[in-house]
Amino acid sequence: MSTTLTAATPDQRRLPKTAALSDALVFFGATGDLAYKQIFPSLQQMIRHGNLNVPVIGVAKAGWSLDQLRERARQSLEKHGGVDEAAFSKLMELLNYIDGDYRDPATFNKLGELLRKAQLPTHYLAIPPSMFPAVIEGLGASGCAKNARVILEKPFGRDLASAQELDATLHSVFPESSIFRIDHYLGKEEVENLLFFRFANTFLEPIWNRNYVESVQITMAESFGVAGRGKFYEEAGAIRDVVQNHLLQVVGFLTMEPPTSLYPDSLRDEQVRVFRTIPSVRPANVVRGQFEGYRKVPDVAPNSKVETFSALRLEIDSWRWDGVPFVIRTGKCMAVTATEVLVKLKQPPLRRLPNQNNYFRFRLGPDLSINLGARIKRPGPEMVSMPVELSAVQLDLSAELMPYERLLTDAMRGDPLLFVRQDAVEAAWAIVDPILGPDTTPLYFYPPGGWGPPEADRLVADIGGWHNPEPSAQGGTSHFMWRYDEPEHARQGGG
């Protein structure tokens, strides 16, 4: 039995009345790592899907020529998805380049010359956050921000105060309707399916509350380290890097009230309401860890106190979720690379049944599956139960859009649905603000290849322990299946 899980296209959403297609794309940071790994592959895919046919202008300070940038683009595609010669040729026709300092007015004067015919350009700031103010002010002073949109990469500040300062700088040049704060996690098919599954299925709503849900666990584990990003990670750490944004977005999708429609602000209003019902995390409900060997990574301080692992326990002060514990865990150099959500339901009130809960298990990466844990009778003469999983599995992602392709396309269309609004940014920072900094909580060391420091076990001692995701599944297509073997987390004692 096959199933197709799809989200609404931009044409099916109610877009702002002023939405129109951008007629130029400028991306700052054209010679950087993000452009190499994500932007050039996404631009090629946008051309292949008929979503890009406007001038593309790269800006950077690297001493490069246009031919060097073109060669960099080819190298990027050869390593990340392959070169489609027809689409690549079109991209080379559209591509231009400005080599200049972001603090030099001459850079923006050159940009203004190239944008003379553009009525609605989009500026994408794929640069370190420390450079945001200089570029925003340069765009404003040169007139390049007129009728323009701007896309910013996370993190949006380092804490609540700096996020508010960045917002003031942005709004001195751009109105909120023209600001697109990009969190690539929201462009992932798997994360969008979580939102879709919640609100497209009637059977879920009656049980999606404190009366039936016992606990919720979210784990984002990565088996690799900081992979040459030592300097960045020293400034960020796990809480700033993924908890304040990626994982709180997942919490919001899991717990928000149903939006009145797919109108962008309807969905984002509900997300902000949820964030505002989450009290600031207390240090006692946080465990920070660092994998052994992190301090030997290039650009990492020899006595660094930055966390590469973080586990925290949240509460949601709402009628729907009062008393339900939410625990979040993320870490580098873990046993597997996987992101999973486990929503454990309360046990049925029959003493003769085994001590095992029903559950929903959402696999959000690297593969996608949505699973329901249930119990059936074990074959044989005795009245004994056994665990099974009913899984809606989607492993064939050939039709999936790359996250940056989806988000860049939406921004150029003026569709803000999958972008973060400023009030959500501030509400999320308010949740984690008390636990930022190296001295707010102890730092525990853990060996690579495991599940982080054992000190984190106390956060889940009363809900059956941690659910540890299994390694990624391989091969297959979208289908439903019963799995009769005992689920892995049942063997771990996670229920």
Side-chain angles (χ1 to χ4, degrees), residues 259-390:
T260 56
S261 69
L262 280 180
Y263 180 65
D265 278 336
S266 175
L267 187 146
R268 298 195 296 177
D269 285 345
E270 297 302 335
Q271 191 174 38
V272 172
R273 288 191 182 101
V274 168
F275 288 166
R276 288 174 175 167
T277 63
I278 302 176
S280 297
V281 181
R282 293 182 292 111
N285 286 337
V286 179
V287 173
R288 297 188 313 121
Q290 185 185 100
F291 68 80
E292 296 170 357
Y294 171 76
R295 293 177 176 180
K296 297 179 181 179
V297 173
D299 298 320
V300 170
N303 59 347
S304 174
K305 295 182 179 180
V306 170
E307 77 279 355
T308 62
F309 171 97
S310 180
L312 55 150
R313 182 160 170 156
L314 303 174
E315 302 170 356
I316 299 181
D317 291 342
S318 70
W319 185 273
R320 182 186 290 266
W321 296 111
D322 183 60
V324 178
F326 286 76
V327 285
I328 294 174
R329 175 177 58 163
T330 184
K332 301 282 189 181
C333 287
M334 303 282 274
V336 300
T337 294
T339 301
E340 280 196 4
V341 177
L342 186 75
V343 179
K344 188 160 64 171
L345 304 182
K346 293 182 177 180
Q347 295 182 35
L350 294 175
R351 295 182 180 178
R352 294 186 62 183
L353 290 180
N355 183 22
Q356 171 128 15
N357 303 66
N358 299 134
Y359 60 86
F360 287 95
R361 183 171 63 85
F362 302 92
R363 178 82 163 201
L364 304 182
D367 49 331
L368 167 65
S369 65
I370 300 174
N371 312 276
L372 169 63
R375 299 194 72 84
I376 63 172
K377 180 183 176 297
R378 184 181 297 277
E382 298 182 2
M383 294 295 291
V384 179
S385 70
M386 62 180 288
V388 295
E389 272 195 343
L390 174 63

Side-chain angles (χ1 to χ4, degrees), residues 371-413:
N371 312 276
L372 169 63
R375 299 194 72 84
I376 63 172
K377 180 183 176 297
R378 184 181 297 277
E382 298 182 2
M383 294 295 291
V384 179
S385 70
M386 62 180 288
V388 295
E389 272 195 343
L390 174 63
S391 300
V393 184
Q394 183 175 332
L395 299 174
D396 180 9
L397 300 179
S398 59
E400 180 183 5
L401 297 180
M402 299 172 66
Y404 277 93
E405 175 193 0
R406 179 189 298 272
L407 294 170
L408 289 176
T409 299
D410 284 357
M412 294 185 68
R413 287 175 170 171

Side-chain angles (χ1 to χ4, degrees), residues 47 359 423:
I47 291 172
Y359 60 86
D423 51 355

